[in-house]
Amino acid sequence: MTLAGRGASVALNSLEKRYEGFGAVRGVSIDIRSGEFLTLLGPSGSGKTTTLMMIAGFETPSAGDIAIDGRSVVALPAHRRNIGMVFQNYALFPHLTVAENIGFPLKQRGVAKAERARLVEEALELVRLPGYGTRQPRQLSGGQQQRVALARAIVFKPRLLLMDEPLGALDKQLRESLQLEMRRLHADLGITFIYVTHDQEEALTMSDRIAVMHEGRVAQIGPPEELYDRPENRFVAAFIGESNFLPATVRGREEGHVVAECAGSLVRATCTTNPAPGESVTLAARPERLRFVDGGWPAPPPANRLAVTVTEAVFVGERCRYVLRTGDGTSLVLKEPSSAATRRRVAGETAEVAWSVADTILV
Amino acid sequence: MSEAIAPALLAPGRTAGMNWRRLVPLLLVAPLVLFMLALYALPVLAMLSRSLLEPAPTLAHYAELAGDEVFHRIFTNTLWTTLVVTAGTLVLGYPVAMGLARARTLLPLLLIIVLLPFWTSVLVRSYAWMVLLGRHGLVNEALLAMGMLDRPLRILNTPLAVHIAMVHILLPYMILPIANALRQIDPSLARAAAGLGAGPWAVFRQVTLPLSMPGVMAGILLVFVLSLGFYITPALVGGPRDMTLSMLIAQRVEQLDWAYAATLSAVLLATALVIIAIFQRAFGVGTAFRMSAR
Amino acid sequence: MKGLRILGGGVLTLLLIFLAAPILLVGIVSFSSATYLTFPPPEFGLRWYRAYLGSRDWLDATWLSIAVAAAVVVVSTVLGTLAALGLARLPRGLRVAATGLILSPLIVPGIVVAIGVYYAYSRYGLVGSPLGLVLAHSCLAVPFVVTSVSASLAGLDPRLEQAALSLGATPLGTFRQVTLPLIRPGVLVGALFAFITSFDELIVSLFISGSGAVTLPRRMWDDLRYAIDPTIAAVSTLTVVLTAALMGAAHWLKRRGERQGLHSP
């Protein structure tokens, strides 16, 4: 199956879905490129699944438009959209065998029996389950059922594949191996994937781009690194990874950075907006990017520094986790890779932490 | 992507699709609703309307009923029978339900024994009691043979026969909801209570019984309402003095006294509905009838 | 504690005997060779079964009951299944009203239904005809079909239907290939209940079977009012065996449906 470059482009334009006054999706606009792996990431109730259901055709938008390859599909019923979909809990037909499940979409399209058998076997090989055709779905493990669901969703060569938390029911190890497999499949097939999950790690591992959803809107959209390194708002900073939030007051600008006063010290932050001096702002910094100044890693300049007191120290194995308190009482978390060579700090001792200006984000 | 894909342009197709989709469930339900309206609901309502329209719009038939001694006696008798039967099924059904809820290896056997009468028609079960309680029935023969009687007792065609047969017939309706409720009680609760020093009786009184109340209430409601309308059993095993409301209605229809029969039917139906409404309000068990599906 | 157990076991055994004995007794009496009812029977034989099989009246009534029940199965299963499918998707207000009407035969006392039906059917020549029985019995059987099918539908994962649609099946194709096979146990259970409801029905039949459409329960009723002839014991035993077999089948289907787990894991 060489279908590289055969993915559909999808344009969501001011998409809205209201249920009796409650807005589940409130103006979502995303352009998804042909062959892209886009993840809709958000907590439950953020509108990600509703958005996916509208693309699939199971929900009708209250307003806005969905275009696939430039053509609006809003008026098209689900069964004529030709979109592959993998469901939460797989939704394999319990009364059909594995082969009948995978052959189902081909049968609907009038594919002859012999050809159907050939394509089914090909799809089973693609998901690494050759020879499983005669089994009943309930005889398979969760991971195997997941692969069958995947095979069923791609056997008819759709140009767009939707996935609704497909790995949610599996254990961590299986989830990780299937994540890699999905990436491989995405690369092999070259079709567009839209993936819904609430698991940020999953989203970071697999996606070309992630749209973080919050209360029916897109909070930020971009490649994983961008979302992690430069969150545009507090929600994204907190939802993806862990973040420290420091209250600060803007004092001025300097070489493209904002200078702000925080717990008695002046710190610099990268910033896309232009806050006025005197304005109260919040700065975000990732715990693993904070360092003790007297530790093994002297912070590369330009660096921000703060005096802190250690209030809690936890050894987690691969790393140490410290809870610190600044002079104005704000709590900070610092994560340090553990090493027998570094001195472990104890609660009550004072220290100085530093981190790079590039890792300081005004949110 | 242009901003201006006007949602309004898409609206006609969209709403048409939605209207059509909304219509499908209606079209699916309509045949049955029309069928039942034409062949059951409207016939019953037409018959009931005779109580208000004979000969002209009037409430006279209901007023007449209020002063009718025969009606009073039979209505009281029907309610009394219903109460006795409900109490009887509760007292006899609760232990069986407990057995059913606790059984493990014997469960299939217990289930068959409880369900067998459930699966047998009321007519056949009433007949069984005619055989058992008759002058030369098994009960009399056995008591005579054991020398406990000199001559056969008259049981058939007495209120006692009606009560015994109705309790037997309605027992499964009491047993099944209670067993259902008992099965849902976490067994560790009783163990915990026992661990806290409660004796078997205290555990039953303070844990098992209160937690099984929803099932008990559902059972009481089912048995009460079903026995209120009993006709076949009292007609077969009861005596002439054991007339129930249903039998009186049938008798008046045979005499073609439609106005009177309709008035009685309205009273019977209203009594049942009032009881259901009270139970639904007080205990929220109105859905019991869904599971009365044998 | 142990004494309590034994006491409990004893009470339970007595109650179970009370439940089962009357029906078993009818079975025993039916094999009696005596001309009148005595217990225990002096000798066993098939005399009363022969009497039943040799009687035109009894056999005609039996066949009529079976034919009416079969027709009731068709009418109530088709109408009830369609309605159950629609009910789940109806707006709340309409759904409550329609459900109320459809389930009301479970609540309305039998005699009220019977004379209401008699009152109306007699005007349209439906009294004394098998058609009248089929129509009235169908109304009484429908609640069982609707509850049974609705229960299956409630256990059906809506994602299975969505999956079928996403794979290109039309709404009708989805119903035929996915929904119907998965709710089939519920439909069959409903159909069995419908059959037994009609087959055992007596009160409505008393009023509308007239002399032209005497069903088996009606024939038994007439017989019971005159003389208790052991033929009736044979007939009763046969109907108990038939309904118990059908009910057992329904029960087994229901359990199997539950085990098959319509919910995905």
Side-chain angles (χ1 to χ4, degrees):
Chain A
M1 284 199 197
T2 42
L3 291 163
R6 301 293 312 278
S9 68
V10 182
L12 310 181
N13 199 334
S14 314
L15 207 52
E16 281 184 38
K17 180 69 190 178
R18 286 182 297 271
Y19 298 105
E20 290 166 20
F22 166 72
V25 174
R26 307 192 277 185
V28 166
S29 298
I30 307 175
D31 277 326
I32 301 152
R33 292 185 286 268
S34 164
E36 189 173 15
F37 193 133
L38 180 101
T39 297
L40 298 175
L41 172 69
S44 58
S46 61
K48 56 187 193 307
T49 298
T50 310
T51 304
L52 196 76
M53 289 299 170
M54 287 193 280
I55 300 173
F58 302 131
E59 295 279 3
T60 314
S62 311
D65 188 40
I66 301 163
I68 297 179
D69 287 330
R71 272 210 311 273
S72 171
V73 295
V74 170
L76 212 57
H79 65 279
R80 287 208 254 130
R81 292 193 186 187
N82 208 34
I83 298 173
M85 179 145 183
V86 179
F87 291 80
Q88 220 172 353
N89 297 344
Y90 330 127
L92 295 179
F93 304 127
H95 59 299
L96 302 181
T97 63
V98 166
E100 285 167 341
N101 262 284
I102 300 175
F104 189 91
L106 302 172
K107 196 172 163 191
Q108 312 309 315
R109 288 163 175 78
V111 177
K113 216 168 174 185
E115 175 71 355
R116 217 151 71 201
R118 193 182 64 74
L119 289 170
V120 166
E121 202 44 48
E122 203 177 290
L124 277 170
E125 262 163 46
L126 197 66
V127 296
R128 302 190 174 159
L129 284 175
Y132 276 67
T134 54
R135 309 259 183 120
Q136 295 290 321
R138 66 173 165 275
Q139 295 173 308
L140 304 183
S141 71
Q144 289 170 335
Q145 290 187 29
Q146 177 56 63
R147 287 154 196 257
V148 173
L150 208 59
R152 186 179 68 176
I154 59 178
V155 71
F156 60 101
K157 303 189 168 72
R159 304 184 58 222
L160 172 62
L161 183 63
L162 308 180
M163 289 184 271
D164 185 14
E165 309 237 5
L167 306 180
L170 304 174
D171 63 58
K172 193 167 166 6
Q173 231 171 354
L174 201 53
R175 217 158 55 216
E176 280 168 7
S177 84
L178 275 167
Q179 282 170 13
L180 293 177
E181 200 147 333
M182 291 218 192
R183 273 242 60 126
R184 174 183 67 80
L185 219 73
H186 177 244
D188 285 357
L189 297 174
I191 64 175
T192 311
F193 277 33
I194 303 180
Y195 192 98
V196 161
T197 184
H198 64 271
D199 182 336
Q200 41 128 341
E201 211 173 305
E202 203 166 286
L204 292 171
T205 323
M206 296 202 286
S207 324
D208 294 328
R209 277 197 304 162
I210 300 172
V212 181
M213 305 265 309
H214 179 48
E215 292 178 346
R217 294 194 174 87
V218 175
Q220 188 175 352
I221 178 165
E225 299 84 355
E226 190 179 305
L227 291 182
Y228 195 83
D229 291 339
R230 288 192 295 286
E232 279 168 9
N233 48 55
R234 192 177 170 136
F235 177 79
V236 174
F239 190 72
I240 297 191
E242 206 178 340
S243 281
N244 290 306
F245 295 105
L246 299 158
T249 313
V250 176
R251 290 294 176 228
R253 290 189 73 91
E254 182 184 275
E255 293 164 25
H257 295 135
V258 172
V259 181
E261 189 184 330
C262 172
S265 309
L266 284 182
V267 296
R268 287 161 185 78
T270 51
C271 176
T272 48
T273 58
N274 198 1
E279 199 177 311
S280 292
V281 294
T282 303
L283 304 179
R286 300 285 180 191
E288 76 279 8
R289 298 191 177 170
L290 264 50
R291 302 280 175 249
F292 289 112
V293 170
D294 55 349
W297 288 270
N304 292 318
R305 285 167 180 254
L306 272 184
V308 294
T309 313
V310 177
T311 56
E312 211 182 303
V314 185
F315 174 64
V316 200
E318 61 187 64
R319 61 201 149 76
C320 294
R321 180 190 166 87
Y322 296 101
V323 181
L324 317 167
R325 193 189 303 282
T326 63
D328 65 355
T330 310
S331 271
L332 288 183
V333 174
L334 181 152
K335 287 182 195 163
E336 186 178 63
S338 68
S339 155
T342 24
R343 185 175 69 80
R344 305 237 160 82
R345 322 217 164 218
V346 294
E349 86 180 73
T350 56
E352 195 176 15
V353 292
W355 69 101
S356 147
V357 171
D359 288 332
T360 318
I361 316 291
L362 193 144
V363 295
Chain B
M1 187 79 213
S2 71
E3 295 278 344
I5 292 187
L9 280 179
L10 297 159
R14 197 179 297 171
T15 39
M18 263 168 67
N19 277 347
W20 193 82
R21 239 182 279 168
R22 281 218 183 130
L23 219 55
V24 171
L26 219 62
L27 290 175
L28 288 170
V29 177
L32 178 58
V33 166
L34 294 177
F35 183 88
M36 289 188 77
L37 279 177
L39 295 162
Y40 149 77
L42 292 178
V44 169
L45 289 176
M47 178 276 294
L48 290 175
S49 75
R50 292 285 295 254
S51 69
L52 294 167
L53 299 173
E54 190 108 326
T58 174
L59 285 173
H61 299 295
Y62 291 90
E64 207 177 298
L65 216 53
D68 184 343
E69 291 254 336
V70 177
F71 167 73
H72 276 281
R73 187 171 55 75
I74 290 173
F75 189 70
T76 318
N77 179 50
T78 306
L79 278 183
W80 173 243
T81 305
T82 298
L83 279 174
V84 170
V85 168
T86 307
T89 52
L90 180 59
V91 169
L92 300 185
Y94 202 101
V96 179
M98 279 180 80
L100 208 56
R102 284 183 189 175
R104 286 174 193 284
T105 49
L106 283 177
L107 183 65
L109 179 69
L110 288 186
L111 214 56
I112 286 174
I113 292 177
V114 173
L115 289 177
L116 186 68
F118 206 37
W119 294 343
T120 308
S121 78
V122 173
L123 182 62
V124 170
R125 281 181 284 170
S126 305
Y127 166 65
W129 285 105
M130 291 171 76
V131 174
L132 267 166
L133 301 177
R135 180 158 282 269
H136 300 288
L138 177 65
V139 171
N140 270 323
E141 295 292 332
L143 292 176
L144 284 170
M146 285 189 288
M148 289 170 74
L149 291 176
D150 306 329
R151 52 200 175 88
L153 271 180
R154 181 186 153 88
I155 315 175
L156 194 64
N157 305 327
T158 66
L160 180 64
V162 175
H163 295 163
I164 293 175
M166 281 179 70
V167 165
H168 177 252
I169 287 165
L170 290 165
L171 252 178
Y173 292 94
M174 184 65 86
I175 294 171
L176 293 174
I178 297 179
N180 223 357
L182 285 171
R183 268 194 177 274
Q184 281 162 17
I185 300 175
D186 184 352
S188 61
L189 284 177
R191 262 181 260 133
L196 294 169
W201 175 243
V203 169
F204 175 76
R205 270 289 327 264
Q206 292 169 26
V207 180
T208 314
L209 189 59
L211 287 174
S212 67
M213 277 326 261
V216 172
M217 286 304 156
I220 290 178
L221 176 62
L222 272 173
V223 171
F224 202 102
V225 171
L226 289 174
S227 62
L228 203 57
F230 251 55
Y231 172 68
I232 296 167
T233 310
L236 286 178
V237 305
R241 287 194 56 83
D242 303 317
M243 202 176 244
T244 62
L245 218 45
S246 289
M247 290 165 72
L248 182 61
I249 293 170
Q251 192 194 64
R252 290 307 154 109
V253 170
E254 275 160 31
Q255 296 164 1
L256 296 178
D257 188 353
W258 279 104
Y260 192 84
T263 311
L264 288 172
S265 294
V267 169
L268 180 59
L269 183 58
T271 312
L273 291 178
V274 164
I275 288 162
I276 292 169
I278 291 172
F279 269 71
Q280 202 157 24
R281 262 297 158 73
F283 312 108
V285 290
T287 50
F289 279 91
R290 275 176 178 274
M291 68 144 295
S292 76
R294 297 205 186 215
Chain C
M1 195 69 191
K2 192 164 181 193
L4 210 68
R5 264 242 160 103
I6 291 167
L7 183 71
V11 169
L12 187 59
T13 310
L14 283 176
L15 287 171
L16 292 174
I17 290 171
F18 173 67
L19 274 168
I23 296 157
L24 297 179
L25 191 86
V26 172
I28 295 168
V29 169
S30 73
F31 290 103
S32 166
S33 61
T35 32
Y36 53 93
L37 272 177
T38 44
F39 199 92
E43 235 177 298
F44 288 98
L46 292 174
R47 172 175 183 173
W48 300 110
Y49 288 89
R50 260 184 237 116
Y52 164 69
L53 290 171
S55 154
R56 258 259 63 90
D57 273 8
W58 279 113
L59 289 181
D60 283 350
T62 309
W63 287 119
L64 179 71
S65 272
I66 290 175
V68 166
V72 167
V73 166
V74 174
V75 172
S76 63
T77 308
V78 170
L79 290 179
T81 304
L82 291 178
L85 286 165
L87 275 178
R89 287 160 217 199
L90 227 47
R92 203 185 127 74
L94 275 177
R95 187 176 68 228
V96 170
T99 312
L101 171 68
I102 291 167
L103 298 187
S104 64
L106 298 174
I107 295 172
V108 179
I111 190 78
V112 177
V113 178
I115 68 167
V117 161
Y118 173 54
Y119 177 78
Y121 286 19
S122 56
R123 278 147 210 247
Y124 303 105
L126 288 169
V127 167
S129 91
L131 178 64
L133 286 170
V134 170
L135 296 176
H137 284 180
S138 293
C139 291
L140 297 177
V142 145
F144 299 102
V145 177
V146 172
T147 41
S148 173
V149 177
S150 292
S152 303
L153 279 173
L156 188 70
D157 186 345
R159 278 174 296 210
L160 290 173
E161 289 173 320
Q162 291 185 342
L165 289 169
S166 84
L167 295 169
T170 59
L172 203 64
T174 300
F175 174 70
R176 210 170 44 76
Q177 298 174 76
V178 176
T179 316
L180 193 57
L182 290 175
I183 63 169
R184 187 166 290 148
V187 174
L188 283 176
V189 169
L192 287 172
F193 280 134
F195 185 92
I196 291 161
T197 303
S198 167
F199 191 77
D200 284 349
E201 206 290 326
L202 174 59
I203 305 186
V204 170
S205 306
L206 278 180
F207 285 87
I208 68 166
S209 62
S211 54
V214 177
T215 62
L216 192 59
R218 169 69 196 276
R219 181 76 184 71
M220 288 166 76
W221 168 270
D222 288 348
D223 225 50
L224 282 176
R225 303 227 92 182
Y226 299 117
I228 305 184
D229 166 348
T231 310
I232 233 175
V235 178
S236 295
T237 307
L238 288 175
T239 64
V240 169
V241 170
L242 175 70
T243 47
L246 291 180
M247 281 296 188
H251 204 69
W252 179 75
L253 273 172
K254 231 187 209 164
R255 291 283 289 274
R256 203 183 60 154
E258 279 158 19
R259 258 207 311 279
Q260 218 177 34
L262 297 180
H263 291 284
S264 325

